[in-house]
Amino acid sequence: MSAPVSRTPVLDVVRRAVEAGTSVTVVGLPGSGRSTLLAQVRDAADDDGWSVVSVPGLGGGAERPLESLVLAGFVTGPTGSLGAMAAAVDGVTRAASGGRTLFLLDDVEALDDASAAVIGAVVARRGASVVATVRPPFPGTGPVERVLAGREATVLGIPVLPFEEVHRLMSELLGGQVDSDVAGRVYALSGGLPGIARSIVLEARRAGHLTKQSGGWVSRRDLWTPALAVTVERLLDGLGDDERDGLRILSVLGPSEVRSVRRLLPWSVVVALDDHGLVRFVEEEDRSLVVLFPPLLAEHLRHIGHDARGVRALDAIGATLDPGGDVEATFRRPVLGSPMRWSSSPESSAILGRILRERSATRLLVSRDAWRREPTSRNTVLYLDALLTDGAQPGIIREVLDESRRDDGTEPHRYVAFVRAWEAGYQALVLHDPERALADLARLAASAEEREVSLFDAIALHVRLVVAMDGQPGDAGAEVPGHGSSPTGYEAAPAPYLVDDESLAAPGGILTQVADVVRLVRGESLLAQGRPVDAWQEFSAVSLPETSPRQDTASLVPQAQLVSGEIVAATDRSMRLLDEARGTLEPGQIEPQGYVVALGLFLQGRLTALREHLTSIFAIGAPAPLRPTTRAGLLALASALSLLERNGPSARSLVSQLEAMRLEAAFSPLARPAPFLVALALESGRDAREAGRSAWDHVSSLADRGYVLAATFDAAILVDLWPDAGRAERVAGLAVDAQGSLLPALGRYLRAAAARSVEKLLLSVDELFDRDMVTFAVRAHVVAIGILREDGATARVTEESSRLRARVASAGEELGLLISALTPTEELTARELEVARLVAQGLSNREVAERLVVSERTVDNHVYRIFRKLGVGSREEIGRLL
C-alpha cells in the first residue's frame, strides 16, 4: 500500500488526479471516513461540471448478479441473462453521458462480479475516471481490477483525523462544549477514525457514560459499552477463525515484542491481521512491538475475554510463556522490555494512551498499598499524586489528607510540610480555590520553623504566578525567602539551610529538596519578569533526586532556553525528552515537554508539524494536574490552530476550557484565553469591542504586576486583531528591555505595529524570520501590507504580497493559513468576485466573457481591478487566494 497522506489535502489530491485523467483507489478501515470523502469528491466533481455516476458496493456475489447496479438505479431487477447485461451496460452508459465522466464506487470490494464487469466495460468504452474506496487488504483480487479495466490508479491510504477534527465531530454530535480530556479518550479509543469515534460518542451518551455538566460534556466512567460490538464486528468482517483467535491472544498480551508474538501465533496470522490493518508495529532499532489497532478493538476483546475464545487465549499464553503461572495476573498488563521508542503518529499515540491509563491504575494500587503499610509523608504524596492522575474524586483525596493529619506526629514536622504544601497546591490549582490555599499557607507559615516558612512562601508565590485572582498584587519580582540580592540575582545555596545536620543538608536530603523548590519558584518568577537567561541558570541549578515524584525543571529548562531565543535548540531538546518520557512510560513529563515542543513549532511556523504534534499529545491523554499551565498552553495553541483553520466548534470548545481553568500562567508564553476570545468574536462576526477592551485591560494588568513575558505574548497576538497603540507601545518598552533575543524582537514588532510604521514593520519582519519566529514574522508582514493597502500604495502592496507569498511557499508547513488577511474579498464587488472565481478555475478572459455573456473588454477591466484590489501579480495568485 502506498504511504498514507495527510488528511487535509486528500480531497485536493483526488481532484488533481481526476483532472489529470487518473483513477484513484482510497484504502481505509471501516469507520475511517471513506464514504465521507467520496461524498466530498462527488460535490466537488458536480461543481466542476463532471458527469458523476455513484454505485454502492453492496452486492451479494455471483449468485445475485447486478445487485449493485439495481441499488444504484441502473437496472430494474437482478438477473444474470446476457440481455440484462447488455441493458445494464446501456443504462450505465446513458448515466455516464454528458462530457467528462467520473465513477464513484463505495466499498468496491463488495461489488458483485456482474456489476463490476458492467462498470469496467463502460469505463473502458468512455475512458472514464474512477474513484473507488476499499478496505484492507489491498492490493487484492476481485472487483477493483475489473472496474479499472487495466487502467493505472493512484492509491491513497486514508489518514486518521487530527485531534481538532475529532473534537469538532464530538462538539457537533453532542451539541455543546466537550472536555478536551474526554475528546482525548475518544481519540485514544478510536485511533482517530471518525466513524468509530462517532460510534463511541453516541453509545457512551446513550449509556450515560457521557454527561453534560455546567454547559460541557464530561465523563467519569469508561467510554466502552457493549453496544460497540457492532462497530468492532465491522472491523472483523472477512477474518477467519485463526485470525480471530490471534486477535484474542494479542488483546490479552497487550503490546508485545515480536519474539513473544512469534512464539504464540503463526506468522501468517500476524501478516493477515496486518494486511487487514488491525495491527501496528512500533519500531525501536532492531525490535518491534506488536499492538492492535484501533485501540477500541483491544479494549472490546478484553471486556469480553471471559468467553470461550478468551479462555482459550489465556490457556495458550500460559502454556507457551508462563507454564504454571498466574496467567491472568501476568498478561493483563503490557509485555514490555526496555524503554521503547514510540512513534509520534496519531495511531501510536492512541495506543500509548491506552497503555498509560492501564499503567496509571497499576501505579495507584502499588502506591495505595505502600501508603497503607507505611503512611510516611513521601508515600502519602506519591499516593495523592497517583489518585490525582487517575482522576479520583475530591472526596477520596480529602479522606487521604485527613488521614495524613492523624499521622502527623509519627515523623519530623519538616517532612510533613511537603504534604501540607501538596494540599495547598491541590486546593489552588485543581479545586480552583487559591484564596483558601493562600490563607492556609499563611497560617502554616506563622507557626512554622524558618526552613518550612521558606517552603510555604515559595508555594504561595507559585500559586500567585499560576492562578488568576482579583486584586492580585504586583508580585512578579517578589523575593523568594532564602535568596539574597547577589550580583547575579541568586545564590548557590540559600543561607537558612546551612545547618549542622549533614544528613538533612546532604544531596537529596530534606533541606536541599526545600532549597530546590525555592529555587524552582524563583526561576518561574524570573521567567515571568522577562529574565529568561537568569531563569535558565536558576532552573539548571535545581538538583532534585531522580526518585522525586516531581521533576518540573526538566521542561522549565528548555522553556527558559526557548524564551531566551534559542527556539530550535529548545524545541529539539524537549522533543528528545518527550521521546524519553514516552519510551519509559512517564506520564508526568509528556504534557510539560509537549507544551514546549508545541510552542517551538508554533513560533517557527511549522503548522503541519504542530497539528500532528497536538494530535499526538491529546491522543496520549497524560495530564499533569498539578502543572495546569502546560495543559493551558496546549489548549491555547490548539485554539490558535483551530482558529487559523476556521474550525469554529473546536476553537470555541478549547477556548471555553481554557477560560474555565482561570489561570494567569505568568511564566508561560501562550496560556491565557483573552486574545483568543477576541479572535473568536471577530471570526463569528460579532462586535469585538468588548472582548478587545477586556483583553487589553488584562495585558495592562499583567504589565502592572511585572509579568513581562505574558504581557508581551498576549499583546503580540492582539496587535493585529484589535490594536491599541498606547498599550502596545507600553508593553513594547518592557519587552525591548527584557533579556535574551526573543522578547526584544517581539517588542520591536509591537512598537512598529503601534506606530503603524511600514518601514519599521518590514525591518521587524526580517529580524523575526532571522530569529526563527516565522509565525510572528508572517503576521508582521501581513500588518504592513494592510497598512500599505489602506494608504493606496498599490505597487508596494503587489511587491510585498509577492515577496511574502514566495517566502510562505518556500517554507511550506501550511503557512498560507497565516495570510488569510491578504485576501480582502470583501473589497471586491459581486461581479468582480464572480470573475475572480472563474479566473481562479483557469479560464481565459475570453472564456470568462463567454460564460458571463459580456464583452472581453469588460472582463479585462474587471481583471485589472481585481489585480489592484488583491495586490496580486498573476492569475495563479488569484487561484491561491480564493
Side-chain angles (χ1 to χ4, degrees), residues 161-509:
L161 285 179
F163 169 78
E164 309 94 87
E165 289 299 319
V166 170
H167 200 182
R168 186 210 319 237
L169 181 152
M170 293 183 65
S171 296
E172 292 173 347
L173 277 177
L174 297 172
Q177 311 294 340
V178 178
D179 183 80
S180 60
D181 282 332
V182 176
R185 286 160 61 193
V186 170
Y187 197 103
L189 268 178
S190 68
L193 303 182
I196 293 178
R198 181 185 298 271
S199 296
I200 293 168
V201 171
L202 294 177
E203 296 302 336
R205 181 178 63 179
R206 187 175 293 118
H209 293 193
L210 275 171
T211 57
K212 197 169 188 179
Q213 294 180 7
S214 303
W217 289 87
V218 299
S219 174
R220 298 294 183 188
R221 301 180 59 185
D222 192 346
L223 294 173
W224 175 87
T225 65
L228 290 171
V230 176
T231 301
V232 171
E233 195 57 39
R234 291 178 59 214
L235 296 170
L236 305 185
D237 187 42
L239 294 182
D241 286 342
D242 289 345
E243 287 81 17
R244 288 176 179 252
D245 286 341
L247 288 174
R248 284 303 185 86
I249 288 174
L250 291 175
S251 71
V252 174
L253 274 178
S256 306
E257 293 182 21
V258 168
R259 62 172 176 263
S260 298
V261 174
R262 280 184 176 276
R263 293 173 62 188
L264 284 158
L265 295 174
W267 196 242
S268 59
V269 170
V270 179
V271 170
L273 294 174
D274 186 30
D275 287 343
H276 280 79
L278 300 180
V279 296
R280 294 287 189 271
F281 290 86
V282 180
E283 302 292 339
E284 187 199 35
E285 298 174 357
D286 59 342
R287 301 192 310 160
S288 293
L289 196 69
V290 182
V291 292
L292 293 184
F293 184 86
L296 173 66
L297 178 57
E299 183 82 358
H300 181 75
L301 295 177
R302 281 197 292 268
H303 271 91
I304 63 172
H306 56 274
D307 66 3
R309 285 184 187 273
V311 172
R312 185 164 60 190
L314 282 170
D315 290 343
I317 293 171
T320 304
L321 300 182
D322 189 36
D326 185 350
V327 178
E328 187 159 0
T330 303
F331 294 105
R332 288 299 181 183
R333 61 181 182 273
V335 182
L336 301 174
S338 59
M340 298 297 296
R341 184 173 298 123
W342 283 86
S343 162
S344 60
S345 71
E347 297 97 328
S348 291
S349 298
I351 293 163
L352 177 57
R354 301 303 295 174
I355 292 174
L356 286 174
R357 273 179 279 283
E358 292 176 358
R359 188 178 177 90
S360 172
T362 301
R363 282 181 170 174
L364 178 59
L365 294 174
V366 171
S367 61
R368 181 173 62 191
D369 180 66
W371 174 71
R372 284 175 173 171
R373 286 186 289 103
E374 193 175 359
T376 63
S377 294
R378 174 178 172 76
N379 285 342
T380 300
V381 170
L382 290 173
Y383 182 37
L384 288 167
D385 275 341
L387 283 169
L388 193 55
T389 301
D390 198 57
Q393 293 294 303
I396 296 174
I397 291 177
R398 175 55 53 196
E399 289 176 5
V400 176
L401 288 168
D402 291 343
E403 182 68 24
S404 71
R405 284 189 171 81
R406 288 191 284 271
D407 296 325
D408 277 357
T410 62
E411 58 182 340
H413 195 266
R414 54 181 169 265
Y415 292 95
V416 177
F418 278 94
V419 179
R420 303 284 79 81
W422 189 99
E423 181 177 11
Y426 171 73
Q427 188 73 37
L429 306 178
V430 180
L431 299 185
H432 306 296
D433 191 355
E435 290 79 10
R436 177 177 173 182
L438 292 174
D440 289 345
L441 288 166
R443 177 177 50 78
L444 289 165
S447 60
E449 298 179 11
E450 186 173 5
R451 63 178 67 92
E452 294 159 13
V453 171
S454 299
L455 175 63
F456 296 141
D457 285 350
I459 298 300
L461 178 55
H462 174 72
V463 167
R464 290 194 293 272
L465 289 168
V466 172
V467 182
M469 292 182 290
D470 295 334
Q472 183 169 271
D475 53 11
E479 193 66 40
V480 181
H483 290 264
S485 54
S486 66
T488 58
Y490 61 89
E491 296 177 354
Y497 305 137
L498 301 177
V499 296
D500 295 333
D501 190 335
E502 294 184 2
S503 65
L504 297 179

Side-chain angles (χ1 to χ4, degrees), residues 495-663:
Y497 305 137
L498 301 177
V499 296
D500 295 333
D501 190 335
E502 294 184 2
S503 65
L504 297 179
I510 187 69
L511 296 184
T512 56
Q513 290 184 47
V514 170
D516 281 334
V517 171
V518 171
R519 191 183 295 277
L520 186 151
V521 175
R522 177 166 173 79
E524 293 174 341
S525 179
L526 290 169
L527 195 54
Q529 295 172 56
R531 297 168 60 186
V533 177
D534 290 346
W536 186 356
Q537 295 178 29
E538 197 78 49
F539 293 140
S540 298
V542 174
S543 57
L544 290 170
E546 291 185 5
T547 55
S548 174
R550 294 282 298 276
Q551 296 289 341
D552 293 9
T553 51
S555 62
L556 286 170
V557 168
Q559 184 172 321
Q561 181 183 12
L562 184 148
V563 178
S564 296
E566 296 186 19
I567 297 173
V568 176
T571 305
D572 291 344
R573 179 177 188 167
S574 271
M575 183 59 80
R576 288 194 300 272
L577 293 170
L578 175 61
D579 286 342
E580 288 181 15
R582 285 193 292 227
T584 55
L585 302 181
E586 290 296 333
Q589 283 299 311
I590 288 176
E591 280 201 355
Q593 297 295 354
Y595 167 55
V596 179
V597 172
L599 183 61
L601 294 175
F602 176 79
L603 291 174
Q604 295 173 66
R606 296 172 58 187
L607 301 183
T608 299
L610 175 62
R611 179 188 297 108
E612 295 169 354
H613 173 71
L614 289 172
T615 296
S616 171
I617 296 298
F618 283 117
I620 292 172
L626 291 179
R627 296 198 58 190
T629 55
T630 60
R631 170 51 67 96
L634 290 167
L635 289 173
L637 291 164
S639 301
L641 187 58
S642 293
L643 283 163
L644 290 173
E645 294 174 333
R646 306 295 175 88
N647 183 348
S650 182
R652 283 191 294 274
S653 187
L654 290 164
V655 174
S656 174
Q657 291 169 68
L658 183 58
E659 220 180 347
M661 294 181 77
R662 292 179 280 174
L663 298 182

Side-chain angles (χ1 to χ4, degrees), residues 62-120:
E63 74 281 0
R64 299 171 67 184
L66 305 179
E67 184 176 25
S68 293
L69 297 184
V70 171
L71 292 170
F74 303 124
V75 181
T76 57
T79 175
S81 70
L82 292 177
M85 291 286 285
V89 171
D90 288 340
V92 176
T93 301
R94 285 194 300 273
S97 63
R100 300 175 299 175
T101 301
L102 176 63
F103 280 87
L104 301 181
L105 310 174
D106 202 4
D107 287 333
V108 70
E109 76 278 3
L111 281 176
D112 59 274
D113 292 342
S115 295
V118 168
I119 295 169

